[in-house]
Amino acid sequence: MTRPHVVVLAAVVLSAISTVAGLGLLASSLDLQLPDSWGFRGFPAIFALTFTWAGANLAWRRPNAVGWLLLWVGVVAGTQVFVTEYSIIGVVGRADPFPGAVFCGWVASWVWLTEVTIIAVFLLQLFPDGHFVSRRWRAVAWFGGLSALVGALILAFNAGPLNNAPHINNPYPLFDDPGSRSFYTVMSGVALAGMGSAASLFVRYRRARGVERQQLKWLAFEAIVIAIAVVVGSFYQSEKWPSIFLISAMALAPVMIGIAVVRYRLYEIDAVINRAIVYGATTALIAAAFFAGIVVLQTVLRPFTNGSEIAVAVSTLISVALAQPLRARIQGFVDRRFYRSRYDAGRTLDAFSDRLREEVDLDAVRADLLHAVRDTVQPSHASVWLRARNDSRTAGG
């Protein structure tokens, strides 16, 4: 076993132990009354699970900066679960806190910022090959990292209740910043760095080709979901569900990255989007047909059925009969509108197959085959070589 493999195993074990211990403490203290906070108790355990899984997978198979960063976030998230829950059970409702409970609350107040910075800045800059797009983009990443470091110092040494642990007053108050105005000013630097990193992702996408471009689509798709969650949360700041939506969206990021890098050839984002559109639209239309059928049939059959459920049964049968024709129609529409080249290639191959069934002349078959290849693959040159027992003939174009 190589040294990187040993490091991966140690990180996975540490993350797992911290997460399980933290969730055990949470389960034993559910009845404690705590100030309301962002998200919900124990949510970093979700990040610990997903980021550790993706990071370990990448660092084990294809060691690079992306895998190590994902693994680091997973370990930090697992640690955050434990220190947060230990500080709660060791301080809340107790005259004498448990040993180290106040210190754990202090760690929980600022350690989360490292996770946010890695996700919003460094992963966007380094995905998928672990290198910056160019030397100039490094300045953006290090600016975000420096801003996050200053922000963590403000959280760690600002007087008053601790961030993410408001049940504890800061044991190391070096300065007083009412309202944490300095912290939010510094966090604007992290936000700017995050936007710059997103811009570098678009630059990388424009330069990428082949598999790398397809991998970047996964991260871009995930970034759109997170952006929607952030925008929705800004409009509903007093609600709890937007924070849950954002947590769920961020937890999917390492899953998307793991699929894009390790299993890309088994999962194509274009196919996923295609099926999502087709089956989503089909389901919606069938549901509409089902409920419309119930309303219409109940109106028509009420005088004869005396309120029986025959209208529901008939509407169900009609919906089942419509499922396959609707799916085929919607699939054709989506292919024509969004996958035109693929749709045209499919029609060309279908037409060639139809002609092949009826054609007996070899020269005509070769001509049709060359025509189909030009229309679908569009090569610069195409030829057909036929080998027979007594002679060989070649047709080209």
Side-chain angles (χ1 to χ4, degrees), residues 182-216:
S182 300
F183 170 72
Y184 291 111
T185 301
V186 171
M187 283 302 295
S188 64
V190 178
L192 288 174
M195 289 187 288
S197 298
S200 76
L201 184 66
F202 285 103
V203 172
R204 187 188 293 272
Y205 180 80
R206 291 184 61 185
R207 298 179 181 178
R209 294 293 183 271
V211 172
E212 183 178 351
R213 173 169 279 209
Q214 298 301 318
Q215 290 171 343
L216 290 169

Side-chain angles (χ1 to χ4, degrees), residues 147-360:
S147 299
L149 176 61
V150 175
L153 291 174
I154 293 174
L155 290 178
F157 299 107
N158 187 30
L162 292 172
N163 179 275
N164 273 7
H167 54 282
I168 300 174
N169 283 323
N170 197 331
Y172 312 110
L174 298 184
F175 57 88
D176 189 10
D177 182 23
S180 297
R181 290 189 297 269
S182 300
F183 170 72
Y184 291 111
T185 301
V186 171
M187 283 302 295
S188 64
V190 178
L192 288 174
M195 289 187 288
S197 298
S200 76
L201 184 66
F202 285 103
V203 172
R204 187 188 293 272
Y205 180 80
R206 291 184 61 185
R207 298 179 181 178
R209 294 293 183 271
V211 172
E212 183 178 351
R213 173 169 279 209
Q214 298 301 318
Q215 290 171 343
L216 290 169
K217 285 184 179 180
W218 284 93
L219 191 59
F221 179 76
E222 172 63 18
I224 292 173
V225 176
I226 293 178
I228 293 173
V230 171
V231 172
V232 170
S234 65
F235 285 101
Y236 298 93
Q237 296 183 6
S238 60
E239 302 286 341
K240 180 65 69 173
W241 64 266
S243 62
I244 298 175
F245 178 29
L246 180 57
I247 290 169
S248 303
M250 293 179 64
L252 286 176
V255 179
M256 293 289 191
I257 292 174
I259 292 174
V261 175
V262 178
R263 298 293 186 183
Y264 166 71
R265 294 189 182 276
L266 298 180
Y267 302 90
E268 294 184 359
I269 188 66
D270 290 339
V272 173
I273 295 173
N274 186 308
R275 286 176 174 80
I277 295 173
V278 171
Y279 288 104
T282 302
T283 302
L285 289 177
I286 290 176
F290 175 75
F291 290 108
I294 291 177
V295 173
V296 173
L297 289 173
Q298 280 185 340
T299 303
V300 174
L301 299 177
R302 185 177 291 111
F304 309 100
T305 59
N306 296 322
S308 68
E309 299 299 325
I310 189 172
V312 176
V314 173
S315 183
T316 302
L317 292 175
I318 293 174
S319 300
V320 171
L322 287 175
Q324 185 60 29
L326 274 177
R327 193 202 66 79
R329 293 285 185 127
I330 294 172
Q331 183 70 68
F333 173 78
V334 171
D335 288 342
R336 288 194 303 271
R337 296 288 295 179
F338 303 105
Y339 301 88
R340 187 70 198 188
S341 60
R342 189 184 307 171
Y343 173 75
D344 292 339
R347 293 189 63 184
T348 301
L349 292 175
D350 290 340
F352 172 71
S353 299
D354 293 337
R355 290 195 300 271
L356 191 61
R357 295 191 190 98
E358 302 175 357
E359 189 60 68
V360 293

Side-chain angles (χ1 to χ4, degrees), residues 4-15:
H5 290 166
V6 173
V7 175
V8 171
L9 286 176
V12 171
V13 170
L14 177 59
S15 177

Side-chain angles (χ1 to χ4, degrees), residues 58 62-67 122-134 201 204 208 212 215-216 219 257 261:
L58 297 183
R62 303 181 183 182
N64 64 22
V66 175
F122 286 94
L123 280 178
L124 292 180
Q125 288 259 21
L126 297 174
F127 183 82
D129 59 3
H131 301 287
F132 290 99
V133 178
S134 66
L201 184 66
R204 187 188 293 272
E212 183 178 351
Q215 290 171 343
L216 290 169
L219 191 59
I257 292 174
V261 175

